[in-house]
Amino acid sequence: MPETTPTITKDAVFDALRRVKGPDLESDIVTQELVSDPIISNGKVIVSITVPAEAASHLEPLRQAAEKVLSELPGVERAMVALTAERRPGQGMAQSGVPQNAAPRSAPPRPQSAPQQRAPGQAPQQPQKAGVPGVKAIIAVASGKGGVGKSTTAVNLALGLKANGLKVGILDADIYGPSLPRLMGIKGRPESVSERILKPMEGYGLKVMSMGFLVEEETPMIWRGPMVMSALTQMLREVAWGELDALVVDMPPGTGDAQLTMAQQVPLAGAVIVSTPQDLALIDARKGLNMFNKVNVPVLGIVENMSYFLCPHCGERSDIFGHGGAEHEAERIGVPFLGAVPLHMDIRETSDSGRPIVASEPQSEHARIYRHIADAVVKRLNVEKGAGVRQAPRVVVE
Ligand SMILES: Nc1ncnc2c1ncn2[C@@H]1O[C@H](COP(=O)(O)OP(=O)(O)OP(=O)(O)O)[C@@H](O)[C@H]1O
């Protein structure tokens, strides 16, 4: 092992991939402009390769070959290659009710993604990043680790955006452990509106989509990276979201490869990081920030959840976890602080019983806090994207 880790460059990645022949077996995948810009971070290299849909099911060896040449590069500890494919007309998740790769199969994965919108001669950079028609801004809600209240925050943020006058949808990207059906109290299966497009579910005025609506809870989820990506892009693009000012995406917890790939491939306008005040969670929140920085997604700010304890009986506030950690951290790293949500039984009970507090108790102090956070998110989005998102009318409930 060399003493200093060699730097991995984009050129080295492309050079290595020139050794892999494309699906036509004539020239290599780089010459054919099938390779996305690589994400290179801490010894990991992630790329996607665009392949024809009709050949996708046979191209697992190509994916493996690309991973092999990348993993042999000096300095690469882990290489991850995902196949993406243009879809043929008539292939879609509405046909089967589930994304095409939802069930584990013995056959190689058949990754699918959005149609490419590439001008002739243009390099295939981040191929899936075309926007979702009708959706003005996609906002990720992420956390560095599980259990910090990310999904509860995502749902109440979405409802806060709606309460502030926006048209809002929410997509559960936590494909391994979808929680939106429970948090939103929605059961049933989405209907199809056409051969390949599903109608989103609706709850509390939000359009909602989750893998939880499509796959039985007992179904084992032995997913592979490309399959997960495929399911996500299908939920993003093969759902009739209609006109939305904002689509909130509840990301899977953590900052691993899967999250990084998702952050890269979903056309995000910005990200909200949820953290608890404890030091450990904040270290994880920092990892979340770094992840979005790597893929050039603006971090709109940090929400401190379970920030302080409000006694349900006397209303007294106790800073049990040393409140203020996230705000201090946000200031230190130059990211806006969007607000602090207390640890409160009402938030837990409403969330766990499918009656999110912003909808079920709109006059409560907690609902007001979430609406303020939503307001701060919109302001930050407008700063980041110019006038891309309609400014919410101010709704102040005292
Ligand atoms: N501010 C809060 N006060 C009280 N309970 C809360 C608060 N926020 C979240 N919870 C509760 O904490 C638990 C975890 O919340 P949630 O499922 O939203 O977390 P998560 O970070 O999305 O978790 P996962 O890692 O499973 O995705 C739930 O029971 C939820 O009701």
Side-chain angles (χ1 to χ4, degrees), residues 10 35 73 77 105 188 242 307 349 376:
K10 188 170 144 183
V35 182
L73 270 180
E77 286 163 26
R105 308 168 169 214
S307 177
E349 279 173 3

Side-chain angles (χ1 to χ4, degrees), residues 146-152 174 253 305-306 341-344 347-348 351-352:
V148 300
K150 171 185 52 58
S151 300
T152 300
D174 194 348
N305 190 36
M306 311 196 201
V341 178
L343 173 71
H344 199 281
I347 298 180
R348 173 184 289 274
S351 190
D352 294 352

Side-chain angles (χ1 to χ4, degrees), residues 78-140:
R78 189 140 177 240
M80 192 172 146
V81 175
L83 298 182
T84 59
E86 295 189 23
R87 183 184 310 292
R88 282 172 302 176
Q91 280 187 312
M93 81 176 158
Q95 282 175 307
S96 57
V98 297
Q100 297 204 322
N101 301 316
R105 308 168 169 214
S106 51
R110 300 175 41 154
Q112 302 289 338
S113 78
Q116 306 297 295
Q117 298 182 347
R118 191 174 358 139
Q122 186 192 335
Q125 298 197 352
Q126 303 192 351
Q128 288 84 351
K129 269 211 158 175
V132 176
V135 178
K136 289 196 187 133
I138 305 182
I139 305 165

Side-chain angles (χ1 to χ4, degrees), residues 142-143 145-156 172 174 177-179 182-183 250-254 274 276 304-308 341-353 366 370:
S143 63
K145 65 166 205 165
V148 300
K150 171 185 52 58
S151 300
T152 300
T153 308
V155 165
N156 284 299
D172 195 350
D174 194 348
S179 50
R182 184 175 46 88
L183 294 187
D250 183 10
M251 297 281 285
V274 181
T276 56
E304 187 174 77
N305 190 36
M306 311 196 201
S307 177
Y308 50 92
V341 178
L343 173 71
H344 199 281
M345 211 49 191
D346 289 352
I347 298 180
R348 173 184 289 274
E349 279 173 3
T350 51
S351 190
D352 294 352
S353 62
H366 308 310
Y370 283 118

Side-chain angles (χ1 to χ4, degrees), residues 267-289:
L268 295 171
V272 171
I273 312 259
V274 181
S275 176
T276 56
Q278 294 97 315
D279 271 345
L280 191 66
L282 283 172
I283 291 168
D284 290 313
R286 251 168 270 164
K287 286 190 201 152
L289 289 172

